[in-house]
Amino acid sequence: MAARRGSMTALNAIIGKPGKIRIANFRITSQGPGTGNGCQALLRHGDRLGCCGCDVLRGTRQGNILLRKRFVVIRIASPGQFAASGSNHCLSAADGRAPRTMRRPGETGMAGATKTPAGKSAGSPTIEPSKPRLLGLLGPGLITGASDDDPSGIATYSQTGAQFGYATSWTLLFSYPLMTAIQIISARLGRTTGRGIAGNLRKYYPNWLVYSSVSLLLIANVINIGADVGAMADAVHVLIGGPQIAYVVAFGTICILMQVFLAYKNYVGVLKWLTLALLAYVATLFVVKVDWLDFARHLVLPDLSFKADYLTAIVAIFGTTISPYLFFWQSSQEVEDIKAVPERKPLKAAPEQADNAGSRISLDTFVGMAISNIIALAITITAAATLHANGVTDIQSSAQAAEALKPIAGTFAEILFAVGIVGTGLLAVPVLGGSAAYAVGETMRWKTGLDRKPREARAFYATIALATVIGAGLNLTPINPIKALYWSAVINGVVAVPIMAVMMMMSTQPRIMGRETIGLSLRIFGWLATGVMTLTAIAMIVTSFL
């Protein structure tokens, strides 16, 4: 069975023994967008391959393809050949021309393969896209947004809700377009240049700016890791009792093992599933009594105040929702995805991929940041409707908020709140450790990436482990985690401003971005976010002396 020669590919298929197929002499007859070599052009992640008895075609970063249902495995044997074996007996090849509806390579989600009746030649191209699934398109933006609601963030939203009721809810509506814009810009930097933020800083800016920014980020992340691990341990102690130190050690170990020993694809899958823990806070709303009219009024018509405690609360919310580690993480994950999907190239080198890449990044980030702020609102509403309404106005930690809910909203609300703390902590701690390792690794020119084996990137993984160990170890010292978290927020607020300003300058320079500089709307909202964070940093410093 021989394939017809199309404008993009040609393929010879040789039928061997029953149940065995060998495909050879695959070659490119004319270059198409994103076709690096013959195997990549045919076996594109997310595309369909016409075959008999095949339901799902799934690619992996090693170049292996799994045709499910009949469990046929196709393994790339060499740059020009691949071999297939299994129970399949028919693999049809037709014109390799991409249909008009085909997406550019590398930006689609997981796909299923088409079924072709046995004995019939495929009447349509064998390589064609399926409609991408939403979950397949969501990735770095979703995980970044979900990790923003970490246990320390939960403590902030719980405290502001308990102290001021619904009065601070407007900040989460106001911050949404700002945080979305700055995260899209950070993602675009990674996807366009093929380097994370630290890598671009090192390449284009003076060393003093790189080292000072990364050092402050590392310190803030380590403190945040300590607060989050401690909060998870407290939450488990609230639920079942037992030694908190043992829980600290257990959670720290789990977070390290997840990043070091899980393959990148599996690790991302785990992080996506952990985002479901955020639903616990939505569920909590159904077991508490909320004055929705009062909430809606404060959401759109805020009662502003210039009292020191109110300003401190506003500063804390903005410092929690717009944090430097989120910029570094999402940018680095876009770079990881370029490595994981062979067809993806940095947009500076492959501008033909820009439209689909930009659309995917925007959708991913809009959804991720929306989830982040919806959950933050749910936590604020819960605390306002229960704690504030019953005169409980001083909450020092997320676990204390869960405990305080029990006599007011019942045991079920307490359990949901505590389970959410554990789930979000397991999501956020690896992100904090990972973003620190990416920043340090790119600065020091180490081999970086969760797609690498530990032996290939020893210093990178050692940074993840060391940051997590030191952070978790803070819970074993006399250092007050709440005070440490406050200074972490101060450091984050201070370091965010210059990093955001430099990101805005990098994203508008053709020498860095090529033809893919950001548009007017992103420039407006990006600089507005930078201005707001500048005022926030100033206010944070001023209120610390009030």
Side-chain angles (χ1 to χ4, degrees):
M1 179 178 67
R4 294 174 296 176
R5 180 170 296 185
S7 64
M8 190 173 178
T9 61
L11 172 68
N12 292 328
I14 304 171
I15 305 296
K17 296 179 180 179
K20 297 283 185 180
I21 304 174
R22 187 172 184 275
I23 314 286
N25 300 325
F26 175 74
R27 62 189 182 279
I28 297 175
T29 58
S30 65
Q31 287 286 341
T35 54
N37 60 49
C39 299
Q40 290 181 10
L42 176 67
L43 301 179
R44 281 208 329 220
H45 178 77
D47 286 347
R48 293 177 177 176
L49 181 64
C51 64
C52 301
C54 303
D55 277 345
V56 179
L57 172 66
R58 186 165 71 186
T60 71
R61 59 188 171 84
Q62 290 86 7
N64 299 333
I65 299 297
L66 174 64
L67 299 178
R68 283 185 173 178
K69 186 177 182 181
R70 297 293 179 88
F71 302 100
V72 179
V73 177
I74 299 177
R75 182 180 297 274
I76 295 177
S78 68
Q81 299 180 352
F82 63 89
S85 64
S87 61
N88 237 29
H89 64 277
C90 173
L91 182 64
S92 58
D95 189 354
R97 184 185 298 274
R100 293 172 66 96
T101 57
M102 177 177 282
R103 290 177 175 266
R104 288 189 175 90
E107 303 298 339
T108 57
M110 199 69 71
T114 54
K115 284 190 176 183
T116 304
K120 294 184 180 181
S121 177
S124 59
T126 57
I127 306 174
E128 62 182 47
S130 64
K131 293 180 180 178
R133 298 176 184 174
L134 179 61
L135 188 60
L137 290 176
L138 301 180
L142 172 67
I143 294 169
T144 302
S147 65
D148 194 18
D149 295 320
D150 64 332
S152 58
I154 293 168
T156 299
Y157 304 134
S158 299
Q159 172 58 33
T160 55
Q163 188 173 1
F164 300 103
Y166 305 117
T168 60
S169 58
W170 65 271
T171 58
L172 295 166
L173 184 62
F174 177 76
S175 66
Y176 174 65
L178 307 182
M179 64 191 295
T180 300
I182 206 68
Q183 289 301 142
I184 288 176
I185 291 167
S186 67
R188 289 275 297 271
L189 275 168
R191 184 68 178 86
T192 302
T193 65
R195 289 182 294 271
I197 292 174
N200 281 301
L201 284 173
R202 187 201 70 216
K203 185 175 176 65
Y204 296 106
Y205 290 89
N207 287 337
W208 67 264
L209 177 61
V210 182
Y211 289 120
S212 59
S213 299
V214 170
S215 297
L216 289 172
L217 174 78
L218 180 61
I219 293 169
N221 281 17
V222 167
I223 295 172
N224 232 347
I225 287 171
D228 286 350
V229 171
M232 287 190 285
D234 289 344
V236 174
H237 179 74
V238 166
L239 291 176
I240 61 175
Q244 289 175 266
I245 293 179
Y247 300 143
V248 166
V249 173
F251 284 126
T253 303
I254 290 170
C255 291
I256 292 172
L257 293 178
M258 280 174 58
Q259 292 184 93
V260 175
F261 294 106
L262 276 182
Y264 175 69
K265 181 180 177 182
N266 297 331
Y267 171 70
V268 170
V270 169
L271 293 184
K272 283 186 180 182
W273 280 109
L274 283 173
T275 62
L276 295 177
L278 298 174
L279 295 177
Y281 297 108
V282 178
T284 307
L285 290 178
F286 292 96
V287 295
V288 299
K289 186 178 180 180
V290 179
D291 187 340
W292 292 107
L293 286 177
D294 191 30
F295 161 70
R297 182 178 68 81
H298 283 93
L299 184 66
V300 298
L301 298 171
D303 294 329
L304 299 178
S305 170
F306 293 97
K307 293 182 178 180
D309 55 353
Y310 183 82
L311 289 176
T312 301
I314 301 304
V315 166
I317 291 172
F318 279 117
T320 300
T321 54
I322 302 177
S323 295
Y325 79 88
L326 301 175
F327 315 154
F328 282 84
W329 174 260
Q330 188 164 354
S331 181
S332 296
Q333 289 308 288
E334 287 294 335
V335 178
E336 287 276 15
D337 282 358
I338 293 174
K339 299 174 185 176
V341 182
E343 294 78 7
R344 291 188 185 178
K345 307 295 179 188
L347 299 182
K348 190 174 180 179
E352 70 276 359
Q353 298 181 12
D355 288 344
N356 283 334
S359 298
R360 177 189 57 78
I361 288 171
S362 295
L363 174 64
D364 186 19
T365 308
F366 271 107
V367 172
M369 298 307 114
I371 290 173
S372 172
N373 279 20
I374 288 171
I375 298 305
L377 276 173
I379 296 166
T380 302
I381 293 169
T382 299
T386 54
L387 305 179
H388 181 78
N390 288 273
V392 180
T393 60
D394 186 20
I395 297 295
Q396 294 296 317
S397 69
S398 51
Q400 187 182 343
E403 236 176 341
L405 278 175
K406 184 175 182 179
I408 299 169
T411 302
F412 187 58
E414 178 197 28
I415 292 173
L416 283 175
F417 210 88
V419 168
I421 292 168
V422 174
T424 58
L426 289 172
L427 172 63
V429 170
V431 171
L432 286 160
S435 63
Y438 280 117
V440 173
E442 289 186 336
T443 301
M444 303 303 294
R445 293 180 172 86
W446 295 338
K447 291 181 179 179
T448 61
L450 294 168
D451 64 321
R452 296 181 184 273
K453 299 293 184 184
R455 64 177 177 273
E456 299 171 355
R458 289 186 175 90
F460 172 76
Y461 284 106
T463 304
I464 291 175
L466 191 61
T468 306
V469 168
I470 294 174
L474 292 177
N475 291 277
L476 310 180
T477 68
I479 297 174
N480 186 316
I482 301 302
K483 287 185 178 179
L485 191 59
Y486 171 78
W487 286 108
S488 168
V490 171
I491 294 171
N492 272 326
V494 171
V495 76
V497 175
I499 289 176
M500 290 170 72
V502 172
M503 281 171 54
M504 292 304 302
M505 290 188 286
M506 286 194 295
S507 61
T508 57
Q509 294 183 30
R511 72 186 179 107
I512 298 175
M513 301 287 284
R515 292 186 295 171
E516 303 307 320
T517 55
I518 60 173
L520 180 61
S521 60
L522 280 178
R523 294 186 191 201
I524 291 172
F525 281 101
W527 280 116
L528 182 59
T530 305
V532 168
M533 284 305 296
T534 301
L535 294 175
T536 297
I538 294 171
M540 188 179 295
I541 295 170
V542 170
T543 54
S544 65
F545 294 102
L546 294 179

